[in-house]
Amino acid sequence: MYGTQSRRDVAYEYQAQIPILRPSIHARRANITVKFQDLYGFTVEGNVDDVNVLNEVREKVREQGRVWWALEASKGANWYLQTHVSSTLKSSLKFSALVNAITLKRLIRKGIPPALRPKVWFSLSGAAKKKSTVPESYYNDLSKAVEGMVTPATKQIDHDLPRTFPGHPWLDTPEGHAALRRVLVGYSFRDSDVGYCQGLNYVAALLLLVMKTEEDAFWMLAVLLENVLVNDCYTTNLSGCHVEQRVFKDLLPKKCPRHCFFEKCRIYAHLEDLEFDVSLVATEWFLCVFSKSLPSETTMRVWDVLFYEGAKVLFHVALAIFKMKEDELLMTHHVGDVINVLQRTTHHLFDPDELLTVAFDKVGSMTTTTISKQRKKQEPAVMAELDQRLRRLNSVNGDDK
Amino acid sequence: MATIGHNNLNAKLVLLGDMGAGKSSLVLRFVKGQFLEFQESTIGAAFFSQTLAANDVTVKFEIWDTAGQERYHSLAPMYYRGAAAAIIVYDISNTDSFGRAKKWVQELQKQGNPNMVMALAGNKADLEDRRKVTAEEARVYAEENGLFFMETSAKTALNVNDIFHEIAKKLPRAQPAQNPAGMVLVDRPPEGSRATSCCS
């Protein structure tokens, strides 16, 4: 009945014998799945090519580091903060700010070195500003005040702690669980409309890995939910998420057109024929901000741009994934095949540049304003749909449990 | 929707139930024969496929394992739309999860495909000492609502393959004749004598 089982067992046995990042000659020959640790300590499965790509990525990260350090040396430690032109500044300063802004946008799309991420994200996302509007002791006070309190949110958080990236060398330890718990519980009290939404566990976990301090991770989570992403992404009926999905469905045929003007967007038409709803895969992408789908460094590179350019970046990336696999997707016959192609693609995107080049150079530009307009357009339909569903469900006099 | 061609049947199956009831674990056990003490929480839904033979038909299940948290319910219609089968999962050691399961049954009865094969799975049957929902209570409920019922354990593999197998057996005669493409399905004798396949 389960013909694939035995083959899988064999593959697992092989994995156990293969040392990290040094696949054996047999593995190379047979192109067998190997397990290795990535830059953020996650154990990932891939083939030997993936290991090589990851090693190249490590080298590129080091190169980017040198570029950033050189800029700090020539322009000053906080040069990237001087990109906003204040009206009181002299024109000569305005010019240098403009140069900095252009340099910065390009640099960020090429990636922020992991060592600089905490500092750069914290300033550029607005988290630093958000934190500065409350007393210094805000986070500590909040953590202390909510300690020992039990709410539906805290119960769900406790349930999810060991289920958040299980097996990670730090996140899946008592210390990691405790830090993640404080951030999520703290946030559930900061915004009771959000409380706790599954998905945030993955997001907060990655923020903890990057930001080094728990408090900074908390503020990054706050700025992400309150300023970067669309409103109500994580509240009771995920209405914001529904809006984003509709916007995405609208964008797909526009942004993945074929070369010929008259030709209908083939990929869109094909997926429609298969009755494939893009939300089937994109919901997780958006709610976890890709943290559960893409390899960690690729996710971080998406977040680099997200925190600087805003939520439109999510559309760029989601569209890019479809665009990269256009030919393969056109050959699918079943919804299942489409999903397998997309999952395989996202899980193996170990080279962030491969994804981001398509996302920003091939998808075409989008402005935050156009996305906002699209959202406004979709909101009434989403609200009507959610409302209708509730009314239909409540129409039967079932028991209330 | 289930579609049939030759002796192959594609069937969309959705798992619904409370957070932590063990939906993903059931699927992992069925698809990969594995069990993880801590299974990553599912966001949106996860997709799997697995094929099994039932009587003379090979059924390819396209499985949608959905997220359990209540706010995710607004996404559920996308996953159960057109499903040929559903497994509604609760945790026998958690009364609330049984209540949640009943709500799912109600929703499917109202909004789902009317010919959907529905199974009720009382999961974590290995936790006998922490049992809160009796098998009898669940069986009565299932009978009243036209579901078939099994207690399962993803951990010990108890009844996991069986529940999928049982669904597979019930599928063919439950198919509505609204297939958009391909051959129209003819009703099959429900439990009929095992036909010998000419080409195995």
Side-chain angles (χ1 to χ4, degrees), chain A residues 170-185:
Chain A
W170 182 73
L171 288 169
D172 200 5
T173 61
E175 193 195 343
H177 288 176
L180 181 59
R181 185 180 198 281
R182 281 189 297 269
V183 171
L184 290 171
V185 169

Side-chain angles (χ1 to χ4, degrees), chain A residues 214-327:
Chain A
E214 199 183 300
E215 185 171 2
D216 287 358
F218 172 84
W219 287 110
M220 286 305 296
L221 185 66
V223 85
L224 180 70
L225 267 57
E226 293 159 20
N227 306 84
V228 177
L229 299 178
V230 68
N231 286 338
D232 291 322
C233 239
Y234 299 97
T235 49
T236 33
N237 49 20
L238 310 177
S239 63
C241 175
H242 284 271
V243 171
E244 295 299 73
Q245 292 304 315
R246 278 171 174 265
V247 172
F248 180 52
K249 274 177 222 172
D250 241 33
L251 284 171
L252 188 65
K254 291 175 193 152
K255 293 289 176 180
C256 282
R258 298 302 291 183
H259 316 291
C260 169
F261 180 76
F262 299 102
E263 197 177 2
K264 198 185 170 189
C265 168
R266 283 206 299 169
I267 183 76
Y268 185 76
H270 180 70
L271 295 177
E272 236 179 7
D273 287 346
L274 295 181
E275 294 182 26
F276 175 83
D277 184 335
V278 292
S279 316
L280 291 171
V281 290
T283 304
E284 187 201 82
W285 294 351
F286 278 71
L287 282 170
C288 298
V289 205
F290 293 102
S291 61
K292 217 170 169 293
S293 327
L294 296 173
S296 66
E297 177 60 15
T298 309
T299 306
M300 295 300 96
R301 287 284 303 275
V302 171
W303 290 15
D304 284 346
V305 196
L306 172 73
F307 287 128
Y308 188 55
E309 296 188 34
K312 66 165 189 171
V313 168
L314 303 183
F315 295 103
H316 276 279
V317 173
L319 289 165
I321 294 169
F322 279 91
K323 213 177 175 69
M324 287 168 81
K325 290 292 155 178
E326 200 164 11
D327 294 336

